[in-house]
Amino acid sequence: MIDLHTHTNFSDGTDTPAQLINKAMANGITTLAITDHDSIGGWEEAKMALRPGLSLVLGAEISCQTVDGISVHILGLLFDPNFNQLMQTLEQTRENRYSRMERIIKRINEAGIEITMSDVLEQLADGATLGRPHLADALVKKGVVKNRDEAFTQMLHNNSKYYIPHYSPLPEEAIKLIKQAGGVAVIAHPMASHRGRVISSQTFGSIINSGLDGIEVEHRDHTPDEKKELMNLAIEFDLAMTGSSDYHGNGKLNVLGEYTTKNDQWEKLESKANARRVVAI
Ligand code: AMP
Ligand code: ZN
Ligand code: FE
Ligand code: FE
């Protein structure tokens, strides 16, 4: 089983990379990609924890924003981590997430809810990418909401009055950097409409034209019709079709391997990287 989109506690997942690897193996996964938000911080620990029987794909889920302000996530897989321009872009995003969080907290405080930056940072593992899920965890700890999901549906969703975006590259820029770093680019959950506005077909076209290699078709946030539409796009533009869990540990209901990528689609994707970078022992 091939699962190409998972998170660890180097972003908003709750498992360490080693725990994730152990769970993946216990769940019958044979190829696993680790794709933390805007970070490759978990790569070293993941490589150390690797055991025979699992092929590891190192990547990152890059938070992007279109010119019209719509959030898009691009999965970069199999890129060279020594390509500085990409690392600098990720670092800029990670850094900007701090001032963004302070501004979101200010709005929440103005609504009469007491929460501080240090409450939020308490929820964050060392070196991890800060995000709204950590704010959600802090709100749970304060007793404001029951769990992450309630925090998002009631307060932290993209259309909320508390929502503020952070700096992010354009999806076209992120794809260009991933490709320059020798990796492959897959658009994550492109039709997850319940999260907020979805990109127009014009923007989708521009993203495809900038070198996209694959589309995440099978994902729990897509309806059957959305999957069909995405599959047709993948066929039309000869892109790989992936399926993945977007596992976050206890942070979300998503179960490891709940959606997977077919072997031939993975081979198609992997062959587009400029070097053979799957890690296995
Ligand atoms: P941010 O990157 O700070 O804008 O936060 C967005 C992240 O929050 C997404 O990448 C998801 O992983 C997570 N998220 C969104 N909705 C939910 C939810 N309902 N429950 C848990 N996590 C969520
Ligand atoms: Zn996440
Ligand atoms: Fe995502
Ligand atoms: Fe994700």
Side-chain angles (χ1 to χ4, degrees):
M1 281 207 302
I2 303 169
D3 192 340
L4 297 179
H5 179 175
T6 66
H7 296 269
T8 75
N9 67 348
F10 277 84
S11 62
D12 54 359
T14 58
D15 290 341
T16 65
Q19 286 168 337
L20 171 59
I21 282 175
N22 289 337
K23 286 187 190 173
M25 293 190 78
N27 283 277
I29 288 167
T30 48
T31 298
L32 174 77
I34 295 187
T35 53
D36 278 307
H37 296 288
D38 309 307
S39 174
I40 64 163
W43 285 20
E44 285 312 311
E45 188 184 324
K47 280 191 272 189
M48 298 282 284
L50 193 58
R51 286 180 287 123
L54 186 74
S55 295
L56 189 60
V57 178
L58 295 168
E61 183 175 16
I62 305 179
S63 315
C64 304
Q65 212 177 338
T66 65
V67 272
D68 40 354
I70 297 174
S71 158
V72 174
H73 289 175
I74 301 289
L75 296 165
L77 305 172
L78 302 170
F79 55 82
D80 175 0
N82 295 313
F83 185 72
N84 278 332
Q85 261 179 286
L86 177 57
M87 294 308 112
Q88 281 161 10
T89 299
L90 298 186
E91 197 180 332
Q92 193 181 346
T93 302
R94 288 199 304 275
E95 202 166 293
N96 190 261
R97 283 167 165 279
Y98 282 78
S99 54
R100 175 253 199 160
M101 182 62 73
E102 274 166 352
R103 288 185 293 145
I104 295 179
I105 288 171
K106 188 160 171 271
R107 286 195 184 174
I108 292 179
N109 292 157
E110 281 163 6
I113 298 163
E114 266 180 55
I115 192 103
T116 65
M117 188 68 174
S118 52
D119 293 331
V120 176
L121 295 180
E122 230 176 74
Q123 304 300 322
L124 188 69
D126 271 355
T129 306
L130 175 63
R132 280 177 284 164
H134 304 105
L135 172 56
D137 292 346
L139 290 164
V140 172
K141 194 172 176 204
K142 286 257 168 192
V144 179
V145 288
K146 279 206 306 283
N147 51 43
R148 268 192 194 184
D149 203 48
E150 193 177 291
F152 271 88
T153 45
Q154 292 188 5
M155 302 175 65
L156 304 181
H157 57 89
N158 290 15
N159 303 319
S160 146
K161 61 178 176 180
Y162 306 122
Y163 180 71
I164 294 173
H166 53 76
Y167 159 79
S168 342
L170 291 168
E172 293 88 345
E173 280 170 9
I175 293 167
K176 194 168 145 213
L177 290 171
I178 293 164
K179 307 293 291 179
Q180 284 175 343
V184 297
V186 177
I187 184 166
H189 46 72
M191 298 268 180
S193 51
H194 73 89
R195 296 190 187 196
R197 281 194 302 153
V198 164
I199 50 171
S200 63
S201 54
Q202 196 187 356
T203 305
F204 213 136
S206 156
I207 289 173
I208 291 172
N209 282 334
S210 58
L212 192 72
D213 299 294
I215 300 180
E216 189 176 57
V217 174
E218 295 289 332
H219 185 286
R220 73 153 59 203
D221 292 352
H222 291 153
T223 65
D225 281 348
E226 289 168 346
K227 288 180 190 180
K228 231 177 266 166
E229 198 179 324
L230 291 170
M231 198 174 85
N232 289 336
L233 267 179
I235 292 167
E236 184 180 346
F237 293 96
D238 193 27
L239 302 172
M241 276 178 257
T242 70
S244 34
S245 65
D246 203 356
Y247 174 77
H248 278 73
N250 300 326
K252 274 189 177 182
L253 298 174
N254 310 30
V255 178
L256 265 173
E258 65 178 23
Y259 292 104
T260 54
T261 300
K262 295 201 173 87
N263 273 310
D264 61 329
Q265 298 299 311
W266 170 235
E267 279 163 21
K268 183 181 171 104
L269 202 53
E270 196 272 335
S271 70
K272 289 192 175 160
N274 77 344
R276 309 282 62 81
R277 294 204 181 85
V278 175
V279 189
I281 47 172

